Amino acid sequence: MILEKFYENPEILHVGTEENRCYYVPLDVQEKENARNLSGIDWKFGYYPNAESVPEFYKKDFDEEAFGRLEVPSCWQMLGFDQKQYTNIRYPFPFDPPFVPDENPCGAYIKYFDISAAEAKKEQYLYFEGVDSCFYVWINGKFVGYSQVSHSPSEFNVTGKTKTGMNKLAVLVLKWCDGSYLEDQDKFRMSGIFRDVHLLFRPAEHVRDYTVATPVDFEKNRAEVEVRINEAAGNPRITCELWDKDNLLGECAVEDGKASFPVEAPVLWNAEEPYQYILKIKTPEEILIQRVGIRTVDIKDGVVLINNRPVKFKGVNRHDSSPYTGAVVSRMDAMFDLRIMKEANINAIRTSHYPNAPWFPELCSEYGFYMIAEADIESHGAATIYGGSTEGTFSYFVQDPSYKMAILDRVQRSVIRDKNQCGVIFWSLGNESGFGTNMEEAGRWVKNYDPTRLLHYESVHFQPEGHEKDESMLDVESHMYASTQQIDAYFAEPGEKKPFVQCEFIHAMGNGPGDIEDYMQQIYRYDGFCGGFVWEWCDHATYEGRAENGKEMFHYGGDAGEFPHDGNFCMDGLVFPDRRPHEGLYEWKNAIRPVRAELLDRKKGVIRLYNKLDFRNLKDYIYIHYEIKEEGILLEEGMIEDLEAAPHSFTDITLKLPGKPKDHCYLKLTYYQKAKDKLTQIGHELGFDQFALSEDKDVRLTLQKNGEPLILTETPEVFRMENSSVCYEFGKKQGSFLKLKKNGKACITAPIEWNVYRAPTDNDRNIVHSWKEAGYDRSVVKVYGCEARVKQGTVAITCDFSIAAVYIQPFLRLHAVWSINGEGEIKVAVDGKRDTSFPFLPRFGLKFQLPQEEQEVTYLGYGPHESYCDKHQASYVDVFHATVPQLHVDYVRPQENGSHYNCSSIQVGGLQASGSRPFSFSASEYTIQELEAKHHNYELEPSGSVIVCTDYKQSGVGSNSCGPELLPQYRLDEDQFHWEMLYRFE
């Protein structure tokens, strides 16, 4: 087939399409849809390597025998055609704009549909919600048109090309076009008709486009619902009605294209209480229904206000993504996402980095989510070309005059489609495309077209060479992954400031994010810090069935053998690909809990509750269950149901607390939902706070004095200590125990090891290079001196040693004193000195390998979720019981996981451990080496032992996979330390 190459001409974006309009589905006068969804399993499909090899399939007499069947919507890569590919920045084709490869895979689609005689009398429109990347359309052999912009709708008037009876729709989709240079989003690259296709039947005279505005007079407690008809076919008689549920508030005829309704004492829309009115726009043969949320968006003194109140965005970045269908997302899929988000206290979504499905903003408006609605623009691949750079070529397309029309078109399509959705608070010009004239002009258009919302674009910070940028049209200071130090510096600067927003932060890749609370403290400290959006909502992967061991297989970049790819960088969500929550989601949920508590007066039991909601009083939404526990034993519990605290205010409550609590006594306040919401139920847990009631103090570790005296013997290699029930061997060259037997049973299956390394987390992807350069992953012990003596049947071993790697000087020098009694108890006291020229340590501690049957675990510390020094917002201190497999967090790419922070004591099988100070521990079926070596969780092979790590400390996990370096306070970088532990074996 010979095509006119619209797909390589950025000045011909659409042929035969209708003008942009807001999204709606027209209804007849009985309020039934005047539309037919053409999606389904009865489309015929042919896949071809290039356009030239495609036959003239659109013709009436084409022999379709070679075509198979294909479901629409779908992505052809998910159905066995072409190759799956994940790439973040680098383009998957040569950089030669506006040209794309001649070997440009194509999908030829055929769909037959019937039109009745009554339908044939109406105007007929084909409405494609989304096609990647561009497409040509024919009906009954006649060319209809061409369009691009994958994530925005395209509409064709096909009246006169259809006929009564059976009709043939033919669509040719090309994988790449000149617009693909603007669609370089961080995702799996998918192709095809991936959103629904509709056939609309409309009267000759109808409303095509309209705009709704809702100005509010707060002093008079009055609003206006203003309707402007922007475009109509013919000259229809138009009337409007405004309804409040089943109550008609008013009706009027549209005059001069306008209608207006006063609303006294309006119920204002916000994400906590998403109340909407119903607007009906009527012509004699058609009705358009628009839900209307009355709300305002403003900035005052550098603070974002909704309905004149400061708000905090506690958001996420969301792609349309499914491991089973790729970019195809159903309403059920989206509702599942939104329900989980509501359950996790999330109130805002950035549609990264393109418009999500056209009905998605409707759901956000209905169920209460603030939106940053982003245009389908991302071209950061321009910075990766040969000789390219952030300063030089990053802004290529926003500077190139030939792409001026394309960029404006994409921004217009985003804004016009979603302009009547009250959930949209910010428009966004796109993502990571640099800054220049084209983007500036697009921004000016937005502010002129819709001054009722704020305008956002993060890449304004990049100054192209030779261009003096104008960012006056942008309303907010948007950043990605700004460090806490950068944020403090921004607010410390004198003068007026734009509101600050982190459009991406706390990169949620793998085991993380670990620095949430540090950012939350700043969000609440600075009025001008309006919030942040976690990158990102879900892991991107493709489902590949089950492995031989029964585990589900999720694949990421490179698993299909594609080039280029970016590995598992797409696995960076708060939920797994199938939407099971990551530990990070629980962290984010509790960090953004609607109430925060402060223990004001321990003796009097006074607790202050801060309402972190923006619009709701606590009395309408929350009740509290409290419990007081001592070493896991419940002392007291109760309910607090009557709370009164306006938004952003506080209230004090008083509880009777123990006068002189013993060790490990804690008060926990758990917040529950009092009233049913649209997506959450009464009794849903919203979050918690916990306070230590006992003093934090060192514990004196002592050996029991009973037990049969030990007999000490020595060889050149070991110290052996034994009695009738205990037989231990201590390696004089290893500085630790080689064998432990008690009552004839081996307590360990391998020597105890000094341990400084961990299987790198995704957030260690940068620092791990320094760790390996320092040799932490291959460290060995050198013992300088080792002495043992026995006194009153108890053995004391003193050992001086260092830890280093081959060809590298020691990074740790240590002095350890071991004490062992006749019961087999082992106490160790370690003094360490670290060479501070080395990078901070991943961890320091002792690693045990226990017999495989030692599966039961009990610990007093942070649980039940995995916890680290910078990642324990979702956890609390209690006594927890689990099995070893239950402690494992099965990240798709294996890595360090399952540690528990701030533990006072643990028991794994027969091993008991306690510390003079709280410590961290983990217990796993997998070795550190296995977790590091394997690329997928289904490849993991159990070690045959239980690997128990007891750590003096472990460095935090942070979010450095894409965010700032781990904060200093979470690094194990002390130059000197002291650590004491007591171990017992049953």
Side-chain angles (χ1 to χ4, degrees):
M1 178 185 293
I2 304 301
L3 294 172
E4 190 166 352
K5 291 190 176 182
F6 302 135
Y7 61 88
E8 289 184 333
N9 187 345
E11 296 184 0
I12 300 180
L13 305 172
H14 314 284
V15 177
T17 56
E18 296 296 290
E19 291 295 317
N20 293 325
R21 66 167 172 87
C22 58
Y23 177 72
Y24 56 80
V25 178
L27 309 176
D28 64 18
V29 292
Q30 283 81 40
E31 299 190 4
K32 296 181 180 179
E33 288 191 0
N34 263 338
R36 186 185 307 165
N37 191 335
L38 297 183
S39 301
I41 60 173
D42 58 346
W43 289 66
K44 296 184 178 182
F45 181 77
Y47 175 77
Y48 298 91
N50 52 56
E52 291 74 21
S53 62
V54 179
E56 293 181 323
F57 71 104
Y58 59 88
K59 292 186 175 181
K60 294 181 182 179
D61 57 354
F62 174 70
D63 184 355
E64 301 166 4
E65 186 176 348
F67 275 40
R69 289 197 177 265
L70 188 96
E71 183 174 5
V72 168
S74 62
C75 300
W76 69 55
Q77 288 87 351
M78 299 299 292
L79 299 175
F81 302 97
D82 199 2
Q83 184 177 48
K84 296 169 183 173
Q85 181 166 25
Y86 162 65
T87 177
N88 174 15
I89 299 175
R90 293 172 292 177
Y91 287 110
F93 46 78
F95 185 87
D96 187 20
F99 304 107
V100 293
D102 292 332
E103 292 302 300
N104 189 0
C106 300
Y109 296 77
I110 296 172
K111 166 76 176 184
Y112 287 94
F113 62 91
D114 189 71
I115 290 183
S116 68
E119 291 170 334
K121 295 178 181 178
K122 294 181 177 290
E123 297 289 302
Q124 299 134 38
Y125 296 86
L126 265 178
Y127 190 88
F128 291 83
E129 291 186 358
V131 182
D132 196 327
S133 69
C134 69
F135 61 109
Y136 295 74
V137 181
W138 297 263
I139 285 186
N140 297 327
K142 299 175 183 177
F143 180 65
V144 172
Y146 163 88
S147 194
Q148 59 169 272
V149 186
S150 297
H151 299 89
S152 291
S154 297
E155 187 171 21
F156 302 88
N157 188 334
V158 296
T159 310
K161 295 183 174 65
T162 59
K163 62 182 181 179
T164 301
M166 190 62 66
N167 292 264
K168 178 180 179 178
L169 168 63
V171 183
L172 180 65
V173 180
L174 277 67
K175 182 175 183 177
W176 298 310
C177 68
D178 53 82
S180 299
Y181 288 97
L182 301 180
E183 296 178 3
D184 192 32
Q185 290 96 349
D186 176 12
K187 63 183 180 68
F188 274 89
R189 308 304 171 96
M190 297 287 174
S191 311
I193 304 174
F194 68 97
R195 290 179 180 166
D196 284 324
V197 183
H198 303 274
L199 181 61
L200 311 181
F201 301 98
R202 309 196 68 178
E205 296 190 326
H206 59 263
V207 172
R208 273 204 49 80
D209 185 52
Y210 58 89
T211 303
V212 180
T214 60
V216 179
D217 186 329
F218 292 97
E219 290 186 1
K220 296 181 179 179
N221 194 19
R222 187 175 186 271
E224 293 283 335
V225 174
E226 300 174 347
V227 185
R228 185 177 73 247
I229 306 300
N230 302 316
E231 183 186 356
N235 188 27
R237 178 171 53 86
I238 307 171
T239 59
C240 292
E241 298 174 356
L242 186 67
W243 292 76
D244 183 358
K245 297 181 179 177
D246 294 328
N247 300 316
L248 179 63
L249 298 183
E251 59 181 322
C252 66
V254 171
E255 297 182 0
D256 298 323
K258 297 179 181 178
S260 182
F261 298 92
V263 181
E264 303 294 336
V267 180
L268 302 183
W269 183 96
N270 61 74
E272 295 166 18
E273 299 169 311
Y275 194 89
Q276 294 188 98
Y277 297 84
I278 300 171
L279 172 68
K280 296 183 180 181
I281 302 173
K282 294 185 172 183
T283 55
E285 298 179 63
E286 188 178 77
I287 299 174
L288 305 180
I289 291 182
Q290 178 68 56
R291 295 188 177 274
V292 177
I294 298 175
R295 60 105 185 91
T296 62
V297 186
D298 297 289
I299 294 174
K300 183 178 180 181
D301 299 328
V303 178
V304 173
L305 306 177
I306 293 179
N307 302 333
N308 262 7
R309 294 189 184 182
V311 295
K312 299 293 186 183
F313 301 122
K314 302 160 185 176
V316 292
N317 284 269
R318 180 188 177 274
H319 277 274
D320 277 344
S321 172
S322 165
Y324 311 108
T325 55
V328 179
V329 173
S330 69
R331 287 178 185 252
M332 184 179 297
D333 294 331
M335 285 299 299
F336 193 67
D337 279 354
L338 295 180
R339 181 181 62 79
I340 301 172
M341 289 180 190
K342 273 293 180 185
E343 290 174 347
N345 301 319
I346 291 165
N347 71 356
I349 297 169
R350 177 180 177 225
T351 64
S352 50
H353 298 293
Y354 47 79
N356 286 185
W359 37 261
F360 186 75
E362 292 183 337
L363 298 181
C364 291
S365 298
E366 180 177 355
Y367 294 104
F369 292 90
Y370 304 119
M371 285 182 63
I372 297 181
E374 195 146 272
D376 196 354
I377 300 175
E378 182 160 19
S379 59
H380 52 179
T384 66
I385 65 175
Y386 184 77
S389 66
T390 301
E391 298 75 19
T393 57
F394 184 36
S395 302
Y396 182 96
F397 292 100
V398 295
Q399 290 281 79
D400 184 354
S402 70
Y403 272 83
K404 174 182 176 181
M405 185 188 304
I407 286 172
L408 179 60
D409 175 64
R410 288 166 181 267
V411 171
Q412 289 174 333
R413 285 174 173 270
S414 171
V415 170
I416 293 172
R417 191 195 78 171
D418 295 339
K419 62 186 173 182
N420 295 321
Q421 293 305 319
C422 58
V424 177
I425 305 300
F426 291 8
W427 298 118
S428 177
L429 297 175
N431 187 65
E432 292 182 5
S433 298
F435 202 61
T437 303
N438 297 344
M439 201 62 87
E440 290 168 348
E441 293 197 13
R444 293 187 194 103
W445 179 90
V446 174
K447 292 305 292 183
N448 181 66
Y449 186 85
D450 182 15
T452 70
R453 292 179 173 91
L454 305 182
L455 183 59
H456 161 277
Y457 183 61
E458 183 270 342
S459 276
V460 68
H461 301 298
F462 298 94
Q463 176 80 33
E465 293 176 350
H467 177 73
E468 187 174 339
K469 64 181 179 180
D470 172 20
E471 55 185 276
S472 60
M473 74 292 295
L474 301 176
D475 295 301
V476 294
E477 180 79 9
S478 176
H479 285 263
M480 294 180 181
Y481 311 107
S483 68
T484 53
Q485 298 93 326
Q486 290 171 314
I487 295 167
D488 284 335
Y490 176 77
F491 285 104
E493 293 176 0
E496 293 185 5
K497 295 179 178 63
K498 292 180 179 180
F500 188 96
V501 63
Q502 289 260 55
C503 67
E504 295 179 20
F505 80 144
I506 52 177
H507 199 254
M509 190 174 182
N511 186 350
D515 42 16
I516 295 176
E517 182 61 16
D518 302 276
Y519 285 113
M520 290 309 302
Q521 292 293 330
Q522 291 182 311
I523 288 171
Y524 289 133
R525 182 185 313 134
Y526 299 120
D527 292 339
F529 193 167
C530 63
F533 295 75
V534 177
W535 187 268
E536 65 175 309
W537 172 240
C538 72
D539 288 343
H540 297 244
T542 60
Y543 179 68
E544 304 296 337
R546 291 187 179 272
E548 292 183 2
N549 58 12
K551 283 191 173 183
E552 292 186 309
M553 297 188 295
F554 291 103
H555 280 188
Y556 48 75
D559 287 335
E562 75 271 33
F563 178 84
H565 70 82
D566 285 287
N568 73 315
F569 203 65
C570 52
M571 304 293 293
D572 52 5
L574 291 171
V575 296
F576 286 96
D578 57 3
R579 272 45 176 187
R580 287 173 294 122
H582 270 300
E583 302 289 283
L585 179 63
Y586 299 119
E587 287 285 300
W588 183 228
K589 171 182 177 177
N590 205 48
I592 56 176
R593 60 195 179 274
V595 182
R596 287 194 166 220
E598 179 185 5
L599 183 57
L600 283 185
D601 191 316
R602 159 74 185 82
K603 291 183 179 179
K604 295 180 180 179
V606 179
I607 299 158
R608 179 159 291 175
L609 303 173
Y610 295 91
N611 183 356
K612 294 300 182 180
L613 296 169
D614 298 317
F615 294 94
R616 273 181 162 167
N617 193 305
L618 292 186
K619 69 178 181 181
D620 304 318
Y621 191 53
I622 286 171
Y623 67 90
I624 296 176
H625 172 261
Y626 71 90
E627 61 181 21
I628 300 171
K629 284 187 173 182
E630 198 171 73
E631 295 192 339
I633 298 173
L634 183 66
L635 302 181
E636 187 177 341
E637 65 177 332
M639 306 289 288
I640 304 170
E641 301 205 24
D642 297 322
L643 298 169
E644 174 78 36
H648 301 170
S649 69
F650 61 84
T651 187
D652 293 342
I653 60 172
T654 302
L655 296 175
K656 185 178 180 182
L657 303 178
K660 293 183 178 180
K662 298 179 182 178
D663 293 338
H664 312 302
C665 185
Y666 289 88
L667 165 67
K668 181 169 178 259
L669 306 173
T670 306
Y671 314 116
Y672 292 97
Q673 187 171 313
K674 180 183 289 187
K676 183 179 182 298
D677 270 350
K678 290 182 177 180
L679 293 177
T680 52
Q681 303 298 318
I682 295 172
H684 168 65
E685 183 178 327
L686 297 162
F688 65 87
D689 278 293
Q690 188 182 49
F691 302 101
L693 302 181
S694 49
E695 291 184 12
D696 183 16
K697 57 186 179 181
D698 288 358
V699 177
R700 187 166 178 266
L701 302 177
T702 57
L703 297 175
Q704 297 180 13
K705 294 182 179 179
N706 57 344
E708 182 183 345
L710 291 170
I711 298 172
L712 176 66
T713 58
E714 180 180 0
T715 73
E717 301 290 331
V718 301
F719 292 119
R720 180 177 291 110
M721 53 222 79
E722 55 190 326
N723 59 23
S724 60
S725 60
V726 171
C727 182
Y728 290 178
E729 288 188 3
F730 186 92
K732 296 163 69 174
K733 294 181 179 180
Q734 294 78 19
S736 61
F737 286 92
L738 305 180
K739 297 179 181 179
L740 299 175
K741 280 189 176 182
K742 191 172 182 182
N743 298 321
K745 177 185 175 184
C747 302
I748 56 177
T749 59
I752 298 172
E753 296 179 47
W754 295 101
N755 189 25
V756 298
Y757 192 61
R758 69 186 184 197
T761 68
D762 287 319
N763 286 309
D764 292 335
R765 62 189 294 140
N766 297 312
I767 188 62
V768 71
H769 300 296
S770 298
W771 288 348
K772 290 190 173 184
E773 186 179 353
Y776 295 167
D777 60 326
R778 58 185 193 279
S779 61
V780 294
V781 169
K782 168 63 178 178
V783 177
Y784 304 110
C786 197
E787 297 180 353
R789 57 186 174 83
V790 62
K791 184 178 180 181
Q792 296 180 343
T794 297
V795 173
I797 302 172
T798 304
C799 193
D800 290 293
F801 61 104
S802 67
I803 302 179
V806 175
Y807 76 79
I808 296 173
Q809 71 270 32
F811 52 82
L812 276 178
R813 296 188 183 276
L814 303 118
H815 174 79
V817 178
W818 302 81
S819 303
I820 308 96
N821 70 4
E823 291 292 322
E825 295 178 333
I826 302 171
K827 177 187 172 185
V828 60
V830 184
D831 289 288
K833 291 185 178 181
R834 188 180 70 88
D835 184 337
T836 56
S837 67
F838 281 76
F840 66 87
L841 293 169
R843 70 188 336 152
F844 175 76
L846 286 167
K847 181 173 66 177
F848 298 76
Q849 296 189 46
L850 307 184
Q852 189 172 13
E853 62 269 17
E854 307 281 1
Q855 292 288 309
E856 297 298 320
V857 181
T858 299
Y859 61 98
L860 171 56
Y862 272 114
H865 302 289
E866 69 180 3
S867 53
Y868 296 80
C869 60
D870 64 342
K871 183 190 175 187
H872 56 267
Q873 300 306 307
S875 296
Y876 52 91
V877 178
D878 203 342
V879 174
F880 296 95
H881 305 279
T883 62
V884 171
Q886 289 171 340
L887 295 181
H888 177 71
V889 181
D890 204 28
Y891 295 108
V892 173
R893 188 191 78 79
Q895 56 198 277
E896 156 66 32
N897 72 86
S899 185
H900 289 274
Y901 169 66
N902 199 49
C903 292
S904 301
S905 61
I906 68 163
Q907 180 164 354
V908 182
L911 169 64
Q912 300 176 10
S914 56
S916 62
R917 298 287 298 165
F919 59 97
S920 292
F921 96 99
S922 62
S924 175
E925 300 174 284
Y926 308 108
T927 65
I928 293 171
Q929 293 75 20
E930 177 73 3
L931 290 169
E932 181 174 20
K934 296 301 171 63
H935 296 290
H936 300 87
N937 55 345
Y938 61 81
E939 299 169 351
L940 287 172
E941 298 179 37
S943 65
S945 299
V946 175
I947 314 300
V948 178
C949 294
T950 57
D951 295 320
Y952 160 67
K953 285 182 181 177
Q954 189 172 168
S955 286
V957 292
S959 60
N960 189 223
S961 50
C962 194
E965 292 182 352
L966 185 66
L967 289 168
Q969 60 265 36
Y970 301 128
R971 303 175 186 178
L972 178 45
D973 61 357
E974 303 159 38
D975 56 352
Q976 298 185 42
F977 58 87
H978 179 79
W979 182 44
E980 292 186 24
M981 291 290 292
L982 180 62
Y983 300 98
R984 298 186 176 95
F985 292 91
E986 290 185 345

